[in-house]
Amino acid sequence: MSEGRPPRLAEAFLFICLPGGGYRESVLGDLEEGFHRRAARDSGRATRARWWYRWHAVRVGAGYAARRLLGRRRYRPVDARDVDARDVPVGDLGRTRTGEPRMLGMDGGRMGIRGVRTLPAEIATDVRFAVRWLRRAPGFLAIALLTLAMSIGANAAIFSVVDTVYLEPLPFEEPERLVRMGLAREDRPGTMSVHTAGDFQEWRERTTSFESMAAWGYRTATVEYGDVAERMTVAISVGSLFDVLGRSAEVGRTFSAGEEGPGAENLAVLSHAVWQQAFGGGDVVGSVVRVWGEPHEVIGVMPRDFAYPSGARLWVTAPFDAETLAARNDFFLRTVARLRPEAEVERVRDEVDVIGRDLQERLPETYGGIEIVVEPMGEWLRAGVGNVWWILMGGVTLILLIGCGNMANLLLSRGTDREGELAVRRAMGAGGGRLVRQALTESTLLALAGGALGVLVAPLLLDLLLAWMPGGVPRAESVDVDPGVLVFTLAVSVVSGLLFGALPAARARGAPIGSRLGWSRRTDRSSNGLIVAEVAMSVVLLTAAGLMARSFAALASEDPGIETEDLAVVPMEIPGDRAFEERRAVYREVEERLSALPGIRSVGFVSTMPVVDFTPGAWVNEPGVVHTGGDRPGAKYQVVSPGYFETVGIELQRGRRLTRRDGLDGTPSVLVSRAAADELFGDDDPVGKRFDLGLDGDIAPLATVVGVVGDVKLNGLEEPVVPAVYAVQELIPWWTGFHLMIRLEPGAAIPSAVREVLASVDPDIPWLGARRVEDVMGGALSRTRNTTFLFGLLGLVALAMAAVGVFGVLAYVVGRRTRDIGIRLAIGADPREVRMEVLRDGIRPVALGLLVGVVAVGFVGRSMESLVFGVQTFDPTTLLGVAALLGGVSLLAIYVPAWRASSVAPRTVLESE
């Protein structure tokens, strides 16, 4: 047992018997003090003191226990009847266990030996005092609340997205049992691509680990409802997608696998957005929409939070016959399956490996070097989102930390003004712990008020975010400021209050009683440390914003391969099941009549819009050349009219252009892109080469290459150029929908007569609008542009907050030193020396913060690049530019207080003395 403390067993007995709160602390503190006095008086013989403590512990503890058993609820703390008066000096009111005097303290309540206040009462007093203190500083309160509301509100808004996308379970029944299946090349692990209907059929028949399985494919279609036509993404369901996912309709019902196939009725299920926009949320079950010109009966509407596959606005049943479902040459499906309750992913992978090896042996030309891949759906969906939202969450967290630094500096500055108040309270008996609790109460109350305003700001910021990034927020219909976000906001508010209140609280605990010297020096060091941290975090954010800006600039400057200026596009699709000759005649007449309109230079058709649309691909087979599935070359293909290349400005590099004779009624001929010529034929001359497009020429039969054209970015500006093959409509007659490309005269507007021409040629052609290609390309860049804007905004906010922090600290320091500076100037000091002294005081922490920030970015720069930027590699030039910008703005913030210091009027200062 230690000689310096009371007996542990007796102390524990007292702790159990005494009521909680201030009563327990009062009794334990008095007895401990009496123990130490008796031990000191007996020249270190602690044995008698320990027996004295045990006797009083048993007597006092038993008395309180008896009162509790008898039902007496009023307890009095220990007094002279409980403790030997000889052990407590006259006039000493005693101390609590933590060493704080029990006397008339800072809260004005009775803290004496007969009036100890309970902890909840003291906290309530602290809160009231904090409210009065904040009300006396309206300017400080307004700045603090605005800073905290925006910082915490931004964190809540971004967390709403992060919570929905990454943290919440998928909106399906038992999502942990859902997996995704597909094909991948063995030399490219981790990738997954589309598969054929025959693959899906074989997987469904041969696997035993799945409870159910469904497949789906994307198609862009013209959907007509009433007098309105709209191009939208349509998902084709094979095997009842909704049943596998475990979701039912909000209105009506979904379709089942038995309602698919030839002869079955065409059915459709609407997304919640289409239901609201097209039908006003009214009764829609039983109505008819036309998809690809075919009528489909609407049988249901999905809930708002259902968005699978992403982007789908309409689901239809698959009209595939047995031959289509067995085909192995049309890769367009993706499969999702539900595991049996006892099945595991690893077991399923072993099972499909057996199927994959069997396919490689049976169909080596198709499946050689290709494997079947299975992965949990949650991992795939979240991986498709990327890390941009985590990066944005980190950005707003840095903004909050910078704001906390500014708040800490403000509180430190105000704490310096309260030195006298704190010294008086210490002299009146308030202990260091009491002052710490009061300071933390003030900062936490301030943070909670800012958090409450942040909760009001968060929905507004979230709405702006969702509107600013259309299509860029996965499961956007489910994103909301829900109770989970409110709990997060409360936690962030409390942590922020404790964080920016910790340093001022520590300074309050060390407030001197008799002298105020030393506080300002410690405060200056603390403020400078906060400036270093703020500047370093600002460097990280500004560097991220700079890299994003450079990435976007590089992406926007990418050559799409077509001349977008003065180019317009009109989506066009002939409804109904018409013969090829009739459709060809309609397209030719539209092309001829539009070319004759004033303001139009040329017209051409293309099956898919470059850069923004999904362009299909197919295998390329040269006669006499045998390939395995993994080594077989492929290319994207587009169906075009002969005038397409001149209209969009694609250069002919070799050979000749296409004509209408290059179809089935003449010599089957195609053009290839430069990338296709290099990949398919290497150094050989591609002109005159022949190949099939598709495994058996099912896309296009054996055709001859008649020319080579320039490369076009078919998969998006951020993706590399891919091989492409171009064929006329006569060679691929089954393609029905096209994009009408119109080359306008320089500076000309899109003629309004375009719509009239389409209506006069065929009244059934729906008008889907006309747009300039520059606007369409800009829309393709909208997500990257908006993400860049958000990072830039965060960087500018960080820059402004860091500059305000530097200016605020130096302005306060100069204000406190006004008297000293005035005296120095009065006795002959050079104003320039005063100015340089203040400049040096401000430049040192800023320079150190820049150094720390540069080192930090140096360590994480490559990670930043791999996480979100991708296009623009990490460049030290960006970092140096950020350091120069931040240093320049900080120098300006430093110079203003320095100039003010050198402009102090000595006479005014002396007269004020």
Side-chain angles (χ1 to χ4, degrees), residues 3-7 14 25-42 45-46 48-54 56 78-79 82-89 92-97 102 113:
E3 299 292 337
R5 61 169 299 158
L14 268 176
E25 292 295 321
S26 173
V27 174
L28 290 174
D30 280 334
L31 288 176
E32 183 175 348
E33 189 170 307
F35 168 80
H36 287 303
R37 293 184 185 281
R38 182 172 289 275
R41 187 179 61 191
D42 292 342
R45 295 176 57 189
R48 295 177 59 184
R50 286 199 296 272
W51 280 111
W52 175 89
Y53 188 95
R54 292 188 184 101
H56 282 285
V78 68
D79 57 15
D82 298 314
V83 181
D84 193 335
R86 294 173 298 174
D87 298 304
V88 182
D92 190 344
L93 299 180
R95 293 177 178 269
T96 66
R97 253 181 121 198
R102 289 192 308 281
I113 203 165

Side-chain angles (χ1 to χ4, degrees), residues 670-908:
V670 295
L671 291 178
V672 296
S673 66
R674 180 75 268 168
D678 293 340
E679 180 168 331
L680 299 177
F681 309 109
D683 296 332
D684 296 342
D685 185 358
V687 176
K689 298 288 186 179
R690 306 176 69 195
F691 59 79
D692 284 325
L693 194 60
L695 281 178
D696 301 313
D698 52 326
I699 304 297
L702 195 62
T704 303
V705 178
V706 298
V708 179
V709 295
D711 290 321
V712 178
K713 293 267 191 171
L714 296 179
N715 290 344
L717 292 176
E718 70 280 3
E719 298 294 332
V721 170
V722 295
V725 176
Y726 301 93
V728 293
Q729 186 182 14
E730 286 78 4
L731 191 61
I732 307 180
W734 46 267
W735 197 282
T736 58
F738 287 86
H739 287 78
L740 176 63
M741 310 300 292
I742 303 174
R743 172 64 60 184
L744 303 171
E745 295 290 348
I750 302 175
S752 59
V754 172
R755 182 174 185 176
E756 299 173 2
V757 168
L758 266 62
S760 63
V761 173
D762 190 334
D764 293 333
I765 296 177
W767 174 249
L768 300 172
R771 297 181 64 190
R772 288 187 174 272
V773 172
E774 288 178 319
D775 297 335
V776 176
M777 297 293 184
L781 291 174
S782 62
R783 181 178 181 182
T784 304
R785 179 181 58 245
N786 296 340
T787 305
T788 302
F789 174 82
L790 287 176
F791 272 100
L793 182 61
L794 292 178
L796 290 177
V797 170
L799 177 65
M801 293 179 70
V804 168
V806 172
F807 172 81
V809 170
L810 286 181
Y812 182 79
V813 169
V814 169
R816 284 185 54 83
R817 295 170 58 186
T818 298
R819 177 178 177 275
D820 297 337
I821 294 173
I823 293 175
R824 290 176 58 188
L825 293 175
I827 61 178
D830 189 347
R832 288 177 297 181
E833 293 181 1
V834 174
R835 188 182 308 126
M836 290 304 299
E837 181 181 346
V838 177
L839 283 172
R840 285 193 298 269
D841 290 343
I843 289 174
R844 278 194 292 266
V846 171
L848 182 57
L850 289 174
L851 178 61
V852 173
V854 168
V855 172
V857 172
F859 277 111
V860 303
R862 297 296 177 185
S863 300
M864 293 164 62
E865 172 193 334
S866 63
L867 283 174
V868 67
F869 303 112
V871 176
Q872 179 62 47
T873 56
F874 180 75
D875 188 352
T877 305
T878 303
L879 184 56
L880 295 177
V882 166
L885 174 63
L886 188 54
V889 173
S890 300
L891 186 61
L892 180 63
I894 295 169
Y895 185 79
V896 175
W899 176 82
R900 177 187 172 191
S902 63
S903 303
V904 172
R907 182 172 182 178
T908 304

Side-chain angles (χ1 to χ4, degrees), residues 237-254:
S237 171
V238 183
S240 186
L241 179 66
F242 303 105
D243 290 344
V244 174
L245 297 177
R247 291 301 303 270
S248 57
E250 177 179 338
V251 177
R253 66 177 181 89
T254 61

Side-chain angles (χ1 to χ4, degrees), residues 637-670:
Y637 65 91
Q638 286 189 312
V639 186
V640 299
S641 68
Y644 169 72
F645 300 97
E646 179 185 359
T647 299
V648 300
I650 298 178
E651 176 190 5
L652 177 67
Q653 297 182 351
R654 189 176 180 82
R656 66 172 177 85
R657 298 185 184 275
L658 293 174
T659 67
R660 298 192 186 279
R661 296 288 303 170
D662 293 319
L664 294 179
D665 54 349
T667 302
S669 303
V670 295

Side-chain angles (χ1 to χ4, degrees), residues 333-353:
L333 290 178
R334 295 169 173 84
T335 288
V336 57
R338 178 172 293 277
L339 296 172
R340 296 187 185 277
E342 69 279 1
E344 297 181 355
V345 175
E346 291 303 322
R347 173 186 167 187
V348 173
R349 286 172 177 160
D350 294 337
E351 188 175 13
V352 299
D353 283 345

